[in-house]
Amino acid sequence: LAQAYTLLLERHPAPAHIHAQFGDHAINRLGDAALAESLFLKATDLSADDPEFIANMVATLQGEGHEALAQAVVDRAHQHGIVIR
C-alpha cells in the first residue's frame, strides 16, 4: 500500500489535504513513520499559503501522540516562514 501511495502521488499531483490523509493512514494503519513524515512534509510544502491548515495538521498529530511528526511539520513550516505555536 505504501508503494501505491507513492506511485499515485508521483503520477497524479494531489492537494495538501490528500497528502495529509495518506500520511495519517501511513502512520496510524501501516505504522510507516518514514512514509508518513514525507507525506506530511509534502502537505506542509503544498499548503505554505495556508498556515491554519498546517496548524490543524500539527494539532491533530499532537493529539494522536505523534510528537516527532508534529515537530517535523513545525520545523518545515518554519522554513516557509510560518510560526506554529
Side-chain angles (χ1 to χ4, degrees):
L1 195 52
Q3 288 177 330
Y5 285 159
T6 304
L7 251 160
L8 177 66
L9 294 173
E10 284 175 0
R11 293 183 181 177
H12 303 283
H17 74 276
I18 297 296
H19 287 268
Q21 287 175 344
F22 285 1
D24 184 65
H25 190 267
I27 192 62
N28 290 314
R29 300 289 182 247
L30 302 178
D32 189 335
L35 176 61
E37 182 172 335
S38 70
L39 290 163
F40 282 115
L41 293 180
K42 182 66 173 182
T44 304
D45 293 340
L46 291 171
S47 61
D49 62 343
D50 189 355
E52 186 175 336
F53 176 81
I54 298 171
N56 288 337
M57 204 167 35
V58 169
T60 298
L61 288 167
Q62 289 172 332
E64 293 175 348
H66 303 300
E67 293 296 328
L69 283 173
Q71 188 59 54
V73 170
V74 167
D75 292 344
R76 181 62 64 93
H78 286 172
Q79 292 175 5
H80 289 289
I82 300 166
V83 177
I84 305 294
R85 297 173 195 231

